[in-house]
Amino acid sequence: MIALAGHAAILIALGGAVALAVAGWRAFATGHPARGATRLPMALLLGGAIAAFVVLEFGLLTHDFSIEYVARNHARDTPVLFTVASAWAALEGSIVLWGLVLAGFATAVYWSLGDDDRLGVGALAVIGMVAIFFFGLMATAANPFTTLAIPPLDGVGANPLLQNHILMAVHPPMLYLGYVGMTVPFAFAIAALVAGDASRVWLQRTRRWTLVAWSFLTLGVLLGALWSYEVLGWGGYWAWDPVENASILPWLTATAFLHSAVVQRRRGMLQAWNLALVIGTFTLTLLGTFITRSGVIASVHSFTQSAVGPAILGFLLVVLVASFGLFATRAHLVVSAPRLDSLASREGAILFNNLLLTVFAVIILMGTLYPVILEAFTGDRVFVGGPWFDRSAVPISLVLLFAMGLGPLLPYRLATASLTWRRVRLPLQIALVTVAVAATAGLRSIAVLVTVGAATLVISSIGVSLHAAARQRGGRYVADLGRTVQSDPGYWGGMAAHIGVAVLAVGIAFSSAFHVRETISLDVGESAAFDGYHLTYVGPFQRVEPHRVVIGAAIEIRRDGRLLGVHEPRLNQYPNQAQAIPTPSVRMGFVEDLYLSLVRIEQGTGSVTFDAHRFPLVWMLWAGGAITVLAGGWAAVVTRRRRSLQLEEVPS
């Protein structure tokens, strides 16, 4: 009965998607009122998507093992939180959540429609087409409500990696909000291309939606890094895993679009480039979906092979050919191209920034797909590891940091040498003094010194610009700082995001350059020195929890004779997993993190082997990422509110 209800909900949503695509394009072509034409299809799409997700959750919570998905991904002893999260922990369920998020974004677009909103209803039609694919996938190759003829008494259980940390219940939905959210700007771009719309309306609406999706994607990537650090036990937060790479690719192109959109809004330039970036970002989200769900690339995140992979690959190819084919045939209608006055200008700096972000994305794409392509043609298996990506990423990242510091100081059209020097001089002096102080204090790593200098340049240039803008108002200084920021939330939100990226870069530089690792073996009661710490092995322990068996080692940590605590790196053994999952114990601090990861405990003697890591300033990575996310969200919300207020103030 539950499975039947789920099937029915998916078919209702699929019917709503088809009706939305048809009604949307009809309203787009005829100019009929947008809301009236799409009201019922929207209700069917959203209602069906919500019902399908609720039914799946109901099946999990009521232990309905007649549903194959429930039997494969849930067990009676799974904690409630992870039972709920199991709805998106495997292939079919993740696509149900994907459909729900897509329906949610479609509803948000619907509520933003004006009476004669041709561009908006065209975008809804494109979203309807995308929804047809995903709900069609649920109705066929990725059906989450397939039933078993003989249901088991208990299920296999949730993915052990899911149950190992609460972040796994939060990280995927944030990524989905980012990935699926990129459908909206893509839909507006396609509608603008079909309409031959040369106005900047599509850009204004697309930029805001991109900002929302970009903020969620940033949060998803950040939480993924934190999850890797806290759960996987290999001693790091980023491994250039193919699925990690797939998540950063659309982030890079969306970031490039958010910058070049400023140039189009101010100077009317780069419209064709912006359309290409929006289309490219959406296709990269589909590529990421294919990588995760096809099983063609080995990854800690990937689902098993299934018929879903070829279907997504086919859809990706259709989208690529159709959208870029449309772009090629309609670009002359939508492109206005004022010439760049000078490369030495704000728009020149943004173009340079775009070039770097694009090259960065291409390098990561090549490194991610090269092993797959090589194996497809030759049968040889190769692995592109972290050192290759690091060698490519570090130089580009440092140049990007300097561009972030200098670009906002340049004026539009032409930056004369005298004006540029007047604006750059003080931030540059602050950066050089900071580097000199750091070198005098004993910092010797050139890469870290360069990163500190570039990050200081970014932050000081923003501070100097804000100070100058507030002083120009001539009122009370503190109040003028607030008024200056509120006067242009889009710009200052972007600057706050730059500060977040600068802080994050410093955290990455320190934690990578000064990372210390040592493998330590101890018998019970023995101690070892590790980089200023005194580690004593208190003894092994084992405890049985409702859904797993935990085997660990109690390690007493002292520094300069002072007890800092007893930490418990452990191995979590789940019933449905042959190999135990190591879970590190991390002592987070302001100066550094001490990270202990259990390797093994000898049966009989109880002697322990564990990896000890010291990571300096990792908190800056999390703080910088959080600042970036909050800045993006703040800019999207405040900009929208200001625009709404401005519209309300327009006299009728």
Side-chain angles (χ1 to χ4, degrees), residues 92 348 383 471 533 559 576 641 643:
E92 296 86 353
F383 176 71
R471 289 290 298 271
Y533 292 93
R559 186 158 198 168
N576 61 343
R641 185 183 303 164
R643 185 169 290 113

Side-chain angles (χ1 to χ4, degrees), residues 331-541:
H332 65 286
L333 297 176
V334 297
V335 173
S336 57
R339 296 185 62 183
L340 188 68
D341 295 309
S342 169
L343 283 173
S345 60
R346 178 81 63 86
E347 53 269 45
I350 292 176
L351 268 177
F352 183 60
N353 162 291
N354 262 232
L355 177 66
L356 290 172
L357 288 169
T358 306
V359 169
F360 201 169
V362 169
I363 288 172
I364 295 175
L365 185 65
M366 288 172 56
T368 305
L369 294 184
Y370 174 72
V372 180
I373 295 171
L374 184 70
E375 185 178 354
F377 284 98
T378 67
D380 297 332
R381 287 197 169 189
V382 298
F383 176 71
V384 179
W388 184 87
F389 285 106
D390 288 340
R391 280 196 296 273
S392 307
V394 171
I396 294 177
S397 301
L398 289 176
V399 178
L400 266 171
L401 265 184
F402 278 107
M404 284 167 50
L406 296 175
L409 296 173
L410 302 179
Y412 284 98
R413 294 185 181 280
L414 175 64
T416 61
S418 59
L419 177 62
T420 302
W421 175 243
R422 197 161 61 244
R423 293 185 175 184
V424 167
R425 183 174 54 194
L426 181 56
L428 200 57
Q429 289 171 340
I430 295 171
L432 290 174
V433 169
T434 304
V435 171
V437 170
T440 305
L443 192 60
R444 291 292 179 267
S445 168
I446 299 299
V448 176
L449 284 172
V450 172
T451 305
V452 168
T456 306
L457 180 64
V458 171
I459 297 171
S460 59
S461 66
I462 295 169
V464 168
S465 300
L466 180 60
H467 169 74
R471 289 290 298 271
Q472 282 182 351
R473 290 178 176 268
R476 296 174 61 185
Y477 180 70
V478 175
D480 285 343
L481 285 176
R483 292 191 190 98
T484 300
V485 172
Q486 291 174 8
S487 66
D488 192 349
Y491 175 77
W492 291 109
M495 292 302 99
H498 282 189
I499 292 174
V501 172
V503 173
L504 183 148
V506 173
I508 292 175
F510 272 87
S511 60
S512 301
F514 302 111
H515 169 215
V516 178
R517 172 183 176 176
E518 185 177 342
T519 299
I520 299 172
S521 295
L522 296 173
D523 290 325
V524 176
E526 280 189 338
S527 300
F530 170 70
D531 205 46
Y533 292 93
H534 191 78
L535 308 178
T536 302
Y537 178 32
V538 178
F541 67 87

Side-chain angles (χ1 to χ4, degrees), residues 24 30 42 61 84 119 124 144-145 173 184 272 294 333 361 403 433 479 484 486 495 497 517 526 552 556 561 563:
T30 61
M42 270 309 314
L61 291 168
V84 172
L119 188 66
L124 264 187
F145 297 108
V184 180
S294 64
L333 297 176
V433 169
T484 300
Q486 291 174 8
M495 292 302 99
R517 172 183 176 176
E526 280 189 338
E556 184 184 87
L563 178 63

Side-chain angles (χ1 to χ4, degrees), residues 103-441:
F105 274 108
T107 306
V109 173
Y110 170 79
W111 283 111
S112 72
L113 292 180
D115 290 336
D116 299 314
D117 190 350
R118 187 164 179 250
L119 188 66
V121 80
L124 264 187
V126 176
I127 294 174
M129 292 180 182
V130 176
I132 290 172
F133 170 75
F134 280 102
F135 283 99
L137 206 57
M138 290 178 225
T140 53
N143 186 349
F145 297 108
T146 302
T147 54
L148 296 171
I150 306 176
L153 295 176
D154 200 354
V156 174
N159 185 332
L161 286 175
L162 168 72
Q163 301 181 65
N164 219 34
H165 200 285
I166 192 173
L167 271 179
M168 200 53 187
V170 183
H171 155 61
M174 295 301 106
L175 270 184
Y176 290 175
L177 285 165
Y179 265 38
V180 182
M182 295 300 177
T183 307
V184 180
F186 168 76
F188 275 104
I190 294 298
L193 280 171
V194 174
D197 185 355
S199 73
R200 298 179 188 177
V201 175
W202 82 269
L203 178 80
Q204 293 170 353
R205 301 177 73 169
T206 300
R207 183 176 180 276
R208 190 172 69 238
W209 285 109
T210 306
L211 201 51
V212 171
W214 180 88
S215 299
F216 280 117
L217 186 55
T218 308
L219 180 59
V221 173
L222 183 69
L223 292 178
L226 182 58
W227 173 75
S228 298
Y229 189 64
E230 289 272 352
V231 174
L232 292 182
W234 51 269
Y237 43 77
W238 192 263
W240 297 108
D241 177 271
V243 178
E244 290 178 328
N245 296 348
S247 68
I248 203 72
L249 285 170
W251 187 90
L252 288 170
T253 52
T255 304
F257 168 72
L258 290 173
H259 285 82
S260 57
V262 176
V263 177
Q264 184 180 342
R265 193 174 54 179
R266 292 290 298 263
R267 297 292 317 281
M269 302 167 60
L270 304 181
Q271 179 149 299
W273 174 241
N274 283 329
L275 285 164
L277 281 176
V278 169
I279 295 171
T281 299
F282 176 67
T283 55
L284 285 173
T285 65
L286 292 179
L287 177 67
T289 310
F290 167 71
I291 288 174
T292 312
R293 287 160 179 79
S294 64
V296 299
I297 295 178
S299 164
V300 70
H301 302 78
S302 62
F303 298 110
T304 55
Q305 289 187 348
S306 75
V308 171
I312 295 175
L313 181 61
F315 184 61
L316 168 62
L317 294 175
V318 168
V319 170
L320 270 174
V321 172
S323 55
F324 280 108
L326 176 66
F327 175 77
T329 58
R330 306 289 282 180
H332 65 286
L333 297 176
V334 297
V335 173
S336 57
R339 296 185 62 183
L340 188 68
D341 295 309
S342 169
L343 283 173
S345 60
R346 178 81 63 86
E347 53 269 45
I350 292 176
L351 268 177
F352 183 60
N353 162 291
N354 262 232
L355 177 66
L356 290 172
L357 288 169
T358 306
V359 169
F360 201 169
V362 169
I363 288 172
I364 295 175
L365 185 65
M366 288 172 56
T368 305
L369 294 184
Y370 174 72
V372 180
I373 295 171
L374 184 70
E375 185 178 354
F377 284 98
T378 67
D380 297 332
R381 287 197 169 189
V382 298
F383 176 71
V384 179
W388 184 87
F389 285 106
D390 288 340
R391 280 196 296 273
S392 307
V394 171
I396 294 177
S397 301
L398 289 176
V399 178
L400 266 171
L401 265 184
F402 278 107
M404 284 167 50
L406 296 175
L409 296 173
L410 302 179
Y412 284 98
R413 294 185 181 280
L414 175 64
T416 61
S418 59
L419 177 62
T420 302
W421 175 243
R422 197 161 61 244
R423 293 185 175 184
V424 167
R425 183 174 54 194
L426 181 56
L428 200 57
Q429 289 171 340
I430 295 171
L432 290 174
V433 169
T434 304
V435 171
V437 170
T440 305

Side-chain angles (χ1 to χ4, degrees), residues 8-19 41 44-50 52 131-132 135:
I10 288 174
L11 292 177
I12 289 171
L14 178 60
V18 173
L44 292 172
L45 174 62
L46 182 63
I50 292 174
I132 290 172
F135 283 99

Side-chain angles (χ1 to χ4, degrees), residues 552-563:
I555 309 291
E556 184 184 87
I557 303 172
R558 290 181 180 271
R559 186 158 198 168
D560 299 327
R562 185 166 62 91
L563 178 63

